Amino acid sequence: MGKIVWLASYPKSGNTWVRAFLHNYILQPETPHSINSLVEFSVAECAAAFFHAPGESLSTEQVQALRPQVHERLTRLHPDLVFVKTHNANLEMHGVPLCTPAHTAGALYIVRDPRDVALSYAAYTGKSVDEMIAFMENPGAANASDDAQVFERLSSWSEHVRSWVASPRRLLTRYEDLLAEPERYFARIIRFLGTGEVEAKRLARAIEFSSFGQLAAQEADQGYNAASLNGKFFRQGKSGQWRERLTPAQAERIAAAHGEVMRQLGYV
């Protein structure tokens, strides 16, 4: 068994929130851990610096050929488990797994209602909601490489979920449950990671330090290096916004494309 615990999600599903919680719980800082220092403890698998020198350009085949080597190097970042953020689906591309099984200890998969994801992801990327709905239906959907990162293969929202649900040694956590009952579901994450008995005061403090209000305040005060050019990264942090902001036709299109998986997760 490997050392990587994948912090996996489709984009805009709560991955950064969970990373912030883990940093505050495990490191136990005196003040809320900086959102711009998350890489000190958990890293983003897609960071270009792991794959090539600045200014170098690689094809998707070249990136995939390097992924097992990159993941092996990531296991050396810490003596114990290594937390690695990914938005990749747990699939293969060019015959190479996007998340190398040999280096995997387990996965924490965060999922969110795709109707809210469509709204949040559209705002983050600057795309229209209809464009984002179409993107989330596309089995070939990917985020392209740029100077900061190599490509991420997302596939469709449904296939992304299926790929991670089928993986061994994984814990699935719904964004909505973290919002509704944070003490229960964040404690569940800690127990899954096997880092010892959950300490109530430590848990409450970590939840407070990683609350949406705290994260948004940090972004307003310090900026956030993962924010887009289209506005804030931490926008509202609520669930069910789709009821007021999607048209009936948009909501129906998402349900038609992803209804089977949405039913399995309790979203419809």
Side-chain angles (χ1 to χ4, degrees):
M1 188 173 73
K3 290 175 56 180
I4 293 176
V5 175
W6 299 105
L7 305 179
S9 72
Y10 196 87
K12 305 306 293 180
S13 298
N15 200 311
T16 301
W17 180 23
V18 171
R19 288 175 74 200
F21 164 77
L22 289 173
H23 281 65
N24 281 290
Y25 186 87
I26 295 172
L27 298 180
Q28 302 185 72
E30 290 299 317
T31 58
H33 193 277
S34 171
I35 55 175
N36 288 312
S37 298
L38 295 182
V39 294
E40 293 177 0
F41 189 72
S42 67
V43 296
E45 184 269 354
C46 66
F50 294 141
F51 289 84
H52 59 74
E56 186 180 2
S57 179
L58 300 179
S59 67
T60 57
E61 291 89 344
Q62 289 172 315
V63 169
Q64 278 303 96
L66 287 170
R67 268 199 156 105
Q69 300 170 43
V70 168
H71 297 165
E72 191 279 329
R73 288 198 297 271
L74 292 180
T75 66
R76 303 182 215 165
L77 292 176
H78 300 288
D80 299 314
L81 294 176
V82 180
F83 296 97
V84 182
K85 172 188 174 180
T86 185
H87 288 315
N88 281 316
N90 195 18
L91 301 170
E92 289 190 358
M93 193 169 180
H94 302 300
V96 179
L98 289 156
C99 298
T100 310
H103 301 307
T104 297
L108 173 58
Y109 185 65
I110 308 107
V111 67
R112 185 182 187 186
D113 190 319
R115 294 165 293 195
D116 281 330
V117 171
L119 287 171
S120 185
Y121 204 12
Y124 179 74
T125 61
K127 296 180 182 292
S128 71
V129 173
D130 286 324
E131 287 176 310
M132 188 51 62
I133 291 172
F135 180 84
M136 292 171 64
E137 293 174 1
N138 182 2
N143 288 329
S145 298
D146 58 26
D147 291 341
Q149 68 170 57
V150 298
F151 79 91
E152 296 173 304
R153 170 72 188 282
L154 306 182
S155 190
S156 70
W157 180 85
S158 288
E159 185 59 28
H160 196 285
V161 175
R162 289 192 185 101
S163 74
W164 282 105
V165 168
S167 66
R169 302 186 302 278
R170 60 91 186 136
L171 176 69
L172 183 148
T173 301
R174 299 195 323 167
Y175 178 90
E176 294 78 12
D177 292 332
L178 291 172
L179 280 175
E181 298 181 78
E183 291 83 4
R184 175 183 177 184
Y185 285 96
F186 278 115
R188 184 168 168 258
I189 289 172
I190 296 302
R191 285 192 290 270
F192 170 75
L193 295 175
T195 56
E197 197 66 32
V198 179
E199 301 172 32
K201 290 184 178 179
R202 183 177 174 184
L203 178 71
R205 184 184 178 93
I207 290 171
E208 177 189 353
F209 280 6
S210 59
S211 68
F212 181 83
Q214 176 58 240
L215 300 179
Q218 282 196 44
E219 182 178 18
D221 183 49
Q222 309 167 16
Y224 181 38
N225 53 25
S228 76
L229 298 176
N230 301 298
K232 297 178 181 178
F233 186 92
F234 301 102
R235 294 174 55 253
Q236 295 189 32
K238 299 177 181 179
S239 64
Q241 295 180 70
W242 66 269
R243 292 183 175 87
E244 289 76 40
R245 298 184 55 199
L246 290 182
T247 68
Q250 288 171 331
E252 288 168 10
R253 180 176 175 182
I254 293 171
H258 308 293
E260 180 182 348
V261 175
M262 291 172 70
R263 281 188 289 275
Q264 293 171 356
L265 295 172
Y267 289 134
V268 291

